[in-house]
Structure formats: structure tokens, C-alpha cells
Amino acid sequence: MDDVDIALFDYDRYNTLYYFLMNADEQIYMRYGGRGPMSPISYLDLSSLEAALEQGLDLHQQYQKGELAKAGRPQPLFPRDIPAVFEGTTQKGRCVECHLIGDLQNVQRQRDGKLDRLAHMYRSPDIKTIGIDLDIPKGLVIAEARAEAQAAGMKPGDRMTHLNGARVWTFGDLQYQYDKVGRDAKQIRITVERKGDSVDLPITLPDYWWWTDLTYRQLSVEPRIYFKSRPLGKAEKRRHGLNPRGFASQVTAVEGFADILKLHQLKPGDIVFGVDGVERDDIANTAELFIKLHKNAGDTFMLDLLRDGKRTKMEVKTTSVAYRK
Amino acid sequence: MGHVVGLRRVPSLRHVVQVRHVLFVLAACFVLSSSIPLLAQSDEISWFTNYDEAIREAKRTGKPIFLEFRCES
């Protein structure tokens, strides 16, 4: 990838397979790819690929006839232009792998104080979170609309055509545009085609719409803590005498790595209600999320917790994981 | 890699390519595993592995480009 213009060919590098349909002037017509949180192939389908290719050919013909506006091109950016990427790959004689670019770009952002964890760590939000289930072989046709999507008026059979005004032809296009939505956004506008008409649907975004499972990502900047937790309800917090607005959360699972790497001694059932004395946060609703948003990989800190009804403290270390280091 | 194997087996993609004469370009993402040359041989798709060559070919023929980034995860 060392000679690839990663500004032009911008995509979530944690996709295993990704396509661009473009022309010799390097104008991109559409993307094909994208993934769900559980599988790299959730949204890949040969019927939808064939339909995308057909559409791409139509767009190419329009371009050749001068009927398609020429798109602007971003300032070129090559992996070697990013110091952390260069140091972690080319300088060490290693290949400039897609995942390493994603990984080391975040390292560079962290060095520069420009890391936005909600946007750069929690990439490619899941559209299912807002209730959109696709009829995958048909591309952007809705199979089922639930939750916020249904409340906005989305219906099975609708075909999504725009997100916040940007044309989307494929799931790859949709996920790319959705990922660009500011994490503080409260609403998005999805336009659908319904029986020949174009219908705008303002969809209210729920809290944590941007949250994604980071398990499959190997982000150096993510502090790995190897436990899962669930947020406590207000009544539960009051019952335990905890701050009702705090991020107190109950540990639901602990991975073996925590013990192997001697990171902490948490166990399921523990209630974590503070991190270095902090008990509430504007964003985090669990101690687990608070740590991921506010601590750096490698940090050591103290947890305040309830174990068997008794308050205690516990030291926790975090670790970082990077792709093929 | 299962999805790549799947691509090789489905004739519809090949049909679209052959009928519509889409120019296929393979951009070396990082690992050019052995399955890619096999893909080209078994499905008779001409993949370019050099980006500049592909651009020149697209200009010469007026065909669009189908660019693939393929990574192992």
C-alpha cells in the first residue's frame, strides 16, 4: 500500500475486502464492501455486487457523455507521509498493510493530540443499532425497519438512496457516509425511494448509536482491559448507595488474558463504580467504556468497586494490542 | 478467505464482466496470496496488479476500473 493514495482510497482499513468502481480520471463512482460487527462478509453478496456493477457501468456511460459532474479530489496522502506508519512499516522493512495503516494512523493521531476516540476507534457504526435490516442481495433495500428507523417511517421495500444528502448506491457507500456522521449528531436524514417517489426520513439517533464492538479491531491506542460489563439502572445504583448519575456497572465476563497478563483480578458480579476516583462521565455509561475513552493503552489506575457488598479498591493495568507487530 | 473462494465459483460475476467488458484491476493491498492468480486463471479475468498500467489501459479502452483492496484479518 506504500504507493496508494489513502486519501483518495479512503475506507475503514478493517475491511477484509473492499472495492472501488472508478474511471481512468480516478473519479470514484461507488464503493462495494463494508462489514458488520460479527463478520467481515455480512454485507458481501454476489447479487448485490452484480447490481452495483450494472449501476456503475451506467454511471460510467453518463460520465463519458458529460452527464455526470466531476468530483473533487482530496489532497493526496501516502502512508509514508504519516510518521507512525512509516516507522512501523517501511522503516522496518515491513509491508504497508491495510490494518497497519488503520492502526498506526490512530497512533499518529494520539501523538498529535488529534485522536477522537468516538470517531477513530468506534468506526463504522452498525445500522442495525437504529433498526435498519437490509435485504442484502438487493443492496440498499430494507428488509425490516425497527426502532428509530421504523419510528421515522422507514418501511420494508424502501430503497435507500441518500444519507444526509450524499448519494449512496451500495452498503459500502452507506457505511462510509454513516461513519462520517459526527458522533454528537442527534439526527440523520435518510432518503428512500418508495414506489417511484423520493421520501426523506429524519431518523433520531439513540444514545450510543456510534458504539461498535472493537473485538475484531487491533487498535494500538485502545486500552485492552479484558472484561465486559453492563450499566446498572438508577434503582440498582441507589440500592447499592452509589451515585445514580454515575457509570457504575457490573462485570459480566472476564477474559483469561486478564489473569495471564496479570492486569487485574476482577470477577463477574463485581460492581465498578469509580476509576481513579471519578464516578461519572458525560458519555460513558460503564466503567469499561470510561476506561476506553479516557485511559491510554499501558496505563495503570485504581478502580473503586463493590465486591460481595463491600467497598474496595483494585489496581488495574491495561495493555495494547497491535496488528502483526 | 471464504468469500474470495465464493467469488471464484459464481458465474454471474464473470458474465457481467465478459458481457459488459468491465476492466478489472487488482490493486495489491498487501498480501497477494496464491488465490488471486488462480482467480484470474480459472475465471479468465484479466487482473492488473500495477495501478498505473491499469489507468493507462482504462484510458486506452474507455473502460471503467474495478479496484480491489484485499486484506487478511
Side-chain angles (χ1 to χ4, degrees):
Chain A
M1 293 273 290
D2 48 338
D3 287 326
V4 172
D5 181 349
I6 56 175
L8 179 64
F9 299 112
D10 178 33
Y11 66 98
D12 180 351
R13 308 292 169 193
Y14 285 84
N15 278 280
T16 304
L17 200 60
Y18 209 85
Y19 298 98
F20 291 87
L21 196 62
M22 53 182 279
N23 62 31
D25 295 334
E26 297 185 299
Q27 175 153 332
I28 294 167
Y29 298 133
M30 65 172 65
R31 299 148 179 278
Y32 187 89
R35 60 166 294 164
M38 300 305 292
S39 163
I41 59 170
S42 314
Y43 290 97
L44 303 182
D45 177 88
L46 285 162
S47 296
S48 68
L49 173 59
E50 187 168 345
L53 289 173
E54 293 279 358
Q55 183 60 55
L57 289 166
D58 286 345
L59 292 170
H60 185 59
Q61 286 173 358
Q62 291 174 34
Y63 183 86
Q64 287 178 314
K65 291 175 186 171
E67 296 170 357
L68 195 66
K70 292 200 174 186
R73 182 179 173 139
Q75 184 75 18
L77 177 70
F78 296 92
R80 58 181 174 272
D81 298 331
I82 303 169
V85 177
F86 178 76
E87 291 159 18
T89 57
T90 311
Q91 196 172 52
K92 291 181 177 176
R94 291 176 176 168
C95 291
V96 186
E97 302 173 6
C98 306
H99 297 77
L100 279 174
I101 294 173
D103 198 354
L104 295 170
Q105 250 184 320
N106 279 342
V107 170
Q108 187 64 47
R109 288 173 177 134
Q110 191 171 48
R111 280 186 198 171
D112 296 340
K114 295 178 178 173
L115 182 70
D116 175 347
R117 296 191 190 218
L118 298 191
H120 297 139
M121 271 174 42
Y122 291 92
R123 287 208 64 177
S124 303
D126 188 357
I127 57 170
K128 288 179 181 287
T129 303
I130 55 172
I132 299 178
D133 289 329
L134 294 179
D135 186 345
I136 292 170
K138 294 180 181 173
L140 292 180
V141 172
I142 305 301
E144 185 184 0
R146 299 172 284 101
E148 287 79 8
Q150 184 184 37
M154 187 175 278
K155 296 178 180 176
D158 286 351
R159 179 185 294 278
M160 290 185 280
T161 60
H162 297 78
L163 194 156
N164 287 346
R167 191 68 167 90
V168 291
W169 297 103
T170 63
F171 176 75
D173 290 338
L174 180 79
Q175 193 172 52
Y176 182 68
Q177 294 299 335
Y178 194 39
D179 193 32
K180 286 183 172 183
V181 176
R183 298 304 189 253
D184 57 351
K186 303 297 181 194
Q187 192 180 75
I188 56 169
R189 181 167 49 92
I190 287 185
T191 310
V192 300
E193 186 182 282
R194 183 185 297 161
K195 296 177 181 174
D197 292 330
S198 186
V199 181
D200 271 345
L201 303 173
I203 299 179
T204 300
L205 295 171
D207 291 341
Y208 306 103
W209 66 271
W210 44 264
W211 188 89
T212 56
D213 187 351
L214 301 181
T215 305
Y216 72 88
R217 296 175 182 273
Q218 304 293 323
L219 296 162
S220 303
V221 296
E222 181 208 347
R224 292 282 169 118
I225 47 179
Y226 300 108
F227 72 86
K228 302 281 185 192
S229 59
R230 68 167 184 90
L232 293 188
K234 284 188 178 178
E236 285 179 292
K237 290 175 196 171
R238 285 198 186 95
R239 193 166 66 242
H240 291 292
L242 302 174
N243 184 341
R245 297 189 177 191
F247 52 64
S249 45
Q250 186 167 43
V251 177
T252 55
V254 178
E255 292 179 52
F257 279 118
D259 190 45
I260 292 168
L261 300 174
K262 301 191 183 310
L263 301 178
H264 57 74
Q265 295 296 316
L266 284 170
K267 60 183 187 182
D270 288 344
I271 293 173
V272 184
F273 63 90
V275 179
D276 277 344
V278 179
E279 296 186 8
R280 58 179 292 188
D281 182 68
D282 288 341
I283 298 172
N285 63 341
T286 64
E288 179 193 352
L289 182 56
F290 179 85
I291 293 165
K292 288 183 185 290
L293 296 181
H294 296 287
K295 299 296 180 183
N296 293 324
D299 281 355
T300 298
F301 45 87
M302 295 298 290
L303 295 185
D304 296 300
L305 62 99
L306 276 175
R307 172 173 286 180
D308 302 326
K310 295 179 182 173
R311 293 193 177 217
T312 185
K313 290 183 181 291
M314 180 183 290
E315 185 179 85
V316 171
K317 295 174 185 171
T318 69
T319 187
S320 76
V321 178
Y323 185 74
R324 291 187 173 179
K325 294 286 173 67
Chain B
M1 291 301 158
H3 46 282
V4 176
V5 174
L7 274 176
R8 293 172 57 195
R9 289 178 181 163
V10 175
S12 58
L13 176 60
R14 191 168 64 237
H15 176 75
V16 171
V17 173
Q18 290 176 343
V19 172
R20 294 292 196 150
H21 307 294
V22 177
L23 173 65
F24 275 72
V25 178
L26 170 66
C29 181
F30 72 94
V31 176
L32 294 181
S33 75
S34 57
S35 63
I36 288 299
L38 287 174
L39 173 68
Q41 287 169 14
S42 62
D43 289 356
E44 299 173 354
I45 295 171
S46 295
W47 290 87
F48 286 75
T49 56
N50 182 293
Y51 183 75
D52 293 334
E53 276 182 26
I55 290 287
R56 281 196 293 274
E57 181 69 2
K59 278 184 179 162
R60 187 182 71 76
T61 60
K63 294 175 183 175
I65 296 170
F66 187 52
L67 179 71
E68 178 184 75
F69 288 92
R70 181 170 180 267
C71 293
E72 290 177 340
S73 63

